[in-house]
Amino acid sequence: MTERPTSEAVRDVLAALFPGASIDEPTVLTGGASRSTWRCAVDGEGLVVQRQTPEAAREMGLEASVLAAAAEVPAPPVIAHVVGDDGISNLVTRHVDGETIARRILRDDRFEAARGRLVEQLGRAAARTHRIDLADVEGVPAADPLATTRASLDELGEPHPTFELAFRWLDDHRPPDRPSTLVHGDLRLGNVIVDESGLAAVIDWELAFVGNPIADLGWLCAPAWRFGSPLPAAGLGDRETLLAAYTDESGVEVGLDELIWWEIASSLRWGVICIMQASRHRSGAVRSHELAVIGRRTCETEHDLLLALEGRW
């Protein structure tokens, strides 16, 4: 039996949501390990449909509730979460105009004005995320990124002395814990939509968890997400500007040492994720050149950690 094209399945979902509407041919935007993303116009209005794959660890209905709660962050407006006749979960949102590719945001002339605003806007977006009422996102799992990273590396069973050094330093210098909030979990360039005026929307909330809010700020500043820029805050500016905007929006003071602790923890987390992605390819679970290439970035992360830890003992 020939499998139906995914574009037909997307049209079926939209036809059920909008009976009698004019539906254009869906266009695939990206393909990821846990979902595919499609753009389509319905009666002339741009919509985005994300379709979950069997490899996804989390059901998309939960992400729909997070997106709805994050409307003022801002995040794309949710239309519906639909499980199609094929049993696949679909998240339908309104299309938000703008760019997501980091190298274009960092280099293209048309984003010059936006680059001057983005660090502050990202700090405020993080603060708005962290004040979302947890009752509105019930079911989002609690997590400690460092503990999860430790467990993942132990399960992989690979020796990485640099990572062990980083774990030791992080354990010895952990800042006091903070009240748990909703955490985006992957806040960085590539997971935001940017237009000529700056931040248009924060997207890709599939890794959201309940935990220490400063994890988002540290992840945003990790070297891997600077995309070759020497500037620490998302490759766009300095940490002080990010923290000032976060404090102004949230009323929560965050010290530079605390941010850097989470920045180092984020580099360690990313390094272990690189190993995990390569392992999925090598095991044959998912044959992907992209996953294999990500695995090769493990040594890059080890180098970042050694630079970050220099002089901190």
Side-chain angles (χ1 to χ4, degrees):
M1 179 176 174
T2 302
E3 184 177 352
R4 295 171 64 243
T6 306
S7 61
E8 290 185 15
V10 172
R11 285 180 60 88
D12 288 347
V13 168
L14 294 174
L17 280 175
F18 304 98
S22 172
I23 301 173
D24 291 352
E25 182 64 22
T27 302
V28 68
L29 298 179
T30 61
S34 65
R35 65 189 59 194
S36 61
T37 303
W38 300 76
R39 181 180 178 183
C40 186
V42 177
D43 283 344
E45 180 182 8
L47 301 180
V48 171
V49 181
Q50 291 186 304
R51 287 176 54 78
Q52 198 159 36
T53 64
E55 291 81 11
R58 189 180 299 179
E59 201 271 329
M60 265 182 146
L62 186 58
E63 185 175 349
S65 69
V66 172
L67 272 172
E72 294 183 5
V73 169
V78 176
I79 301 295
H81 167 247
V82 179
V83 177
D85 294 337
D86 53 8
I88 298 295
S89 186
N90 299 265
L91 178 58
V92 185
T93 64
R94 299 193 188 281
H95 180 265
V96 177
D97 287 333
E99 182 60 73
T100 61
I101 297 176
R103 67 176 181 276
R104 295 177 182 170
I105 295 168
L106 288 169
R107 298 180 178 95
D108 284 7
D109 290 343
R110 67 189 180 106
F111 296 117
E112 182 176 0
R115 287 193 288 272
R117 305 184 183 108
L118 272 169
V119 172
E120 179 180 349
Q121 291 173 331
L122 287 166
R124 293 184 182 279
R128 292 171 190 150
T129 298
H130 302 157
R131 66 174 179 240
I132 290 171
D133 190 337
L134 293 180
D136 294 336
V137 291
E138 187 175 353
V140 173
D144 176 346
L146 187 61
T148 302
T149 301
R150 174 79 269 177
S152 296
L153 184 60
D154 289 348
E155 185 177 348
L156 287 164
E158 293 188 17
H160 288 272
T162 299
F163 291 169
E164 298 300 336
L165 187 69
F167 275 119
R168 182 182 302 177
W169 184 89
L170 290 164
D171 286 338
D172 290 345
H173 295 83
R174 185 158 193 152
D177 208 0
R178 290 181 176 272
S180 292
T181 70
L182 180 70
V183 179
H184 180 279
D186 198 9
L187 182 63
R188 60 179 175 84
L189 291 191
N191 287 338
V192 294
I193 299 174
V194 176
D195 60 22
E196 284 79 356
S197 64
L199 181 66
V202 178
I203 59 175
D204 289 352
W205 294 75
E206 62 187 292
L207 298 181
F209 63 90
V210 174
N212 192 309
I214 314 309
D216 268 340
L217 301 181
W219 190 255
L220 186 65
C221 291
W225 311 128
R226 299 173 193 170
F227 298 95
S229 169
L231 301 174
L236 292 159
D238 57 63
R239 299 178 182 92
E240 291 80 5
T241 299
L242 177 69
L243 293 179
Y246 183 82
T247 297
D248 186 63
E249 184 72 28
S250 67
V252 175
E253 295 281 349
V254 181
L256 191 59
D257 286 345
E258 183 178 6
L259 174 62
I260 290 174
W261 188 95
W262 278 103
E263 192 176 305
I264 292 170
S266 296
S267 285
L268 177 57
R269 175 186 167 203
W270 172 239
V272 174
I273 289 172
C274 289
I275 304 171
M276 293 167 63
Q277 299 290 58
S279 178
R280 294 174 64 205
H281 169 73
R282 292 198 308 269
S283 70
V286 180
R287 301 300 291 177
S288 165
H289 287 124
E290 180 182 3
L291 295 182
V293 169
I294 290 173
R296 290 177 63 85
R297 297 191 65 184
T298 304
C299 58
E300 171 189 305
T301 306
E302 291 172 326
H303 182 252
D304 289 337
L305 284 168
L306 289 171
L307 290 177
L309 292 171
E310 186 177 5
R312 294 190 179 276
W313 289 95

